[in-house]
Amino acid sequence: MSERGPAEPSRATAVIDLAAVERNCARLAAELEGAELCAVVKADGYGHGAVECARAALGGGASWLAVATAAEASELRAALPEARLFVMGALTPAELDEALAADADVAVWRSGFCDLIGARARSLGVRPRAHVKWDTGMGRLGERDSVALLALLEAVAADEEVELSGLWTHFATADEPGSSFFARQLESFVHLADRMRSRYPGLIAHAANSAATLIDPASHLDMVRCGVAIYGLDPFQEDPARRRLEPAMALRSYVADVKRFEAGWSAGYGRRWRATEPTWVGVLPIGYGDGVRRALTNNAEVLVRGRRHAVVGTISMDNLTIDLGPETDVVAGDQAVLIGAQGGEEILCEEVARRLATINYEVTCGISARVPRRYRRSPEDAR
Ligand SMILES: Cc1ncc(COP(=O)(O)O)c(C=O)c1O
């Protein structure tokens, strides 16, 4: 559909620019100097589509893919038989079997799980690849105590049925520039990783998320695990262009109706907006059932004909309304952009996140399954 007038209106579509994902990966990979790029495509590629983005990431120079769950690993394995997969999350025994069946590397975060992997290896006749996790301060999975961590590394290394593949950690404050906590986590990890890499040759040490990758090359080690940046979202919640990242997702709908409102008329549940003067209101068939959060009520803008229009009234499950002003050239069928560019204007995920007092990650992950993802590789496919 065109920006002006109807061609074939689409109720709600997330348009994903796979060339942007590829370029974002190439931009990250170019600065790694020997470290590998692991593209984090959990949660359906942060809402962008896991398999499609994984392919684009591999095309852009990623050599690993990381997910959180066994089911996510199975989905990737079905589409990408050769890819190196790493499941970062906790696994129940059944989930461990599924992850191993998908030939994914798995995380080991405590000795009980180490025993379980050994047992499953013997029973399934496979040789799992394990990445031992050190909790250097995130306070989630991983051994916190360095003595217990060394014992865990030794236990994994001693089990002939299991391959000790990696040592890893995760940063709590890499997205807070100048954080001394980040510096402390990094220093402890690098110190131990250096010792362990000489004790266990071939061990892959990895720690950096997107923020760390972008701000501190010392965090790159053998591999970086980048999620948000590969989708062109800024880990610091600033304009992604500042770090040469290109947003990959656009969220579009269309104007289903344009209605004249008299002063005092209201739009939406609870009458939370009333026209103060005669105006035109556009009705868009998209709402919180699609992931356009209700907290954006009277608190967002939408692009139509390359101009910003305020969201007015309560966002419903399937509809929202925008104020088009006392005079308008907007007609039913015009494309509406909730995230992305139109004309010379752009609404970034970071802007939507700020309005919601959250982070861009949650905005794209929240676009619901009801919204079809349409993939494109060039601006010409974007219509
Ligand atoms: C363990 C782990 N590593 C890496 C990442 C990627 O982080 P980011 O999306 O900030 O690059 C995540 C994401 O939450 C994670 O949980």
Side-chain angles (χ1 to χ4, degrees):
M1 107 187 249
S2 73
E3 288 172 15
R4 288 171 168 264
E8 200 179 319
S10 164
R11 187 191 69 78
T13 308
V15 181
I16 313 298
D17 184 345
L18 295 174
V21 174
E22 196 171 310
R23 283 192 295 269
N24 290 328
C25 288
R27 175 254 180 273
L28 293 163
E31 288 176 27
L32 292 183
E33 296 191 353
E36 296 195 64
L37 173 61
C38 173
V40 180
V41 294
K42 62 189 173 139
D44 200 25
Y46 293 37
H48 294 67
V51 169
E52 293 80 0
C53 290
R55 278 206 189 93
L58 294 170
S63 48
W64 282 77
L65 302 170
V67 290
T69 73
E72 291 173 333
S74 302
E75 185 196 6
L76 288 181
R77 179 56 74 217
L80 298 160
E82 304 296 328
R84 299 203 71 175
L85 305 182
F86 174 43
V87 180
M88 302 187 291
L91 297 168
T92 65
E95 290 166 343
L96 173 61
D97 284 2
E98 183 176 2
L100 296 180
D103 195 25
D105 290 28
V106 295
V108 172
W109 66 95
R110 61 185 164 87
S111 61
F113 194 75
C114 171
D115 299 341
L116 177 68
I117 289 196
R120 295 315 294 155
R122 279 175 276 285
S123 134
L124 298 170
V126 294
R127 188 154 189 264
R129 294 175 302 276
H131 296 234
V132 172
K133 188 162 193 188
W134 186 20
D135 176 10
T136 53
M138 183 63 165
R140 303 192 315 203
L141 292 183
E143 278 293 358
R144 185 84 183 222
D145 176 66
S146 54
V147 174
L149 178 84
L150 291 176
L152 186 56
L153 276 165
E154 269 163 32
V156 174
D159 190 331
E160 292 193 346
E161 311 298 330
V162 179
E163 184 181 331
L164 173 61
S165 281
L167 171 65
W168 67 300
T169 193
H170 192 45
F171 296 119
T173 59
D175 57 352
E176 295 170 21
S179 161
S180 57
F181 193 74
F182 166 69
R184 281 210 302 281
Q185 276 194 277
L186 178 60
E187 192 188 348
S188 326
F189 188 73
V190 168
H191 182 69
L192 187 84
D194 282 347
R195 277 172 50 211
M196 292 304 114
R197 280 190 293 194
S198 42
R199 187 183 304 179
Y200 304 111
L203 188 74
I204 305 166
H206 50 106
N209 55 3
S210 297
T213 302
L214 288 165
I215 54 162
D216 195 342
S219 70
H220 294 176
L221 299 162
D222 301 315
M223 178 166 90
V224 299
R225 305 184 309 270
C226 293
V228 81
I230 76 167
Y231 309 103
L233 301 168
D234 185 69
F236 306 96
Q237 306 302 314
E238 296 175 344
D239 183 343
R242 286 188 61 180
R243 294 182 178 82
R244 292 181 290 115
L245 297 170
E246 296 175 53
M249 180 189 283
L251 179 63
R252 296 181 185 164
S253 180
Y254 76 103
V255 180
D257 204 359
V258 175
K259 305 172 69 164
R260 183 74 179 165
F261 270 47
E262 300 304 332
W265 290 21
S266 64
Y269 291 113
R271 310 194 70 203
R272 291 167 73 186
W273 174 82
R274 293 176 200 206
T276 52
E277 57 177 349
T279 191
W280 291 95
V281 167
V283 184
L284 277 50
I286 185 169
Y288 65 78
D290 302 291
V292 181
R293 295 262 304 280
R294 195 166 178 271
L296 294 170
T297 293
N298 291 328
N299 179 30
E301 291 180 328
V302 171
L303 303 179
V304 183
R305 298 205 170 208
R307 295 187 300 269
R308 287 176 173 258
H309 301 279
V311 168
V312 290
T314 306
I315 294 187
S316 305
M317 190 183 295
D318 316 308
N319 290 284
L320 61 82
T321 37
I322 57 175
D323 188 1
L324 300 172
E327 304 294 334
T328 188
D329 55 352
V330 171
V331 295
D334 279 355
Q335 183 186 80
V337 173
L338 292 91
I339 296 170
Q342 193 190 57
E345 272 288 351
E346 183 168 19
I347 295 177
L348 293 170
C349 263
E350 288 75 11
E351 172 185 333
V352 177
R354 207 162 30 249
R355 291 177 182 278
L356 290 166
T358 183
I359 50 174
N360 45 12
Y361 300 65
E362 198 182 2
V363 173
T364 59
C365 284
I367 305 302
S368 74
R370 187 166 84 171
V371 178
R373 271 60 173 172
R374 221 178 58 227
Y375 296 95
R376 69 168 174 124
R377 290 216 135 260
S378 67
E380 296 76 57
D381 311 329
R383 304 283 168 226

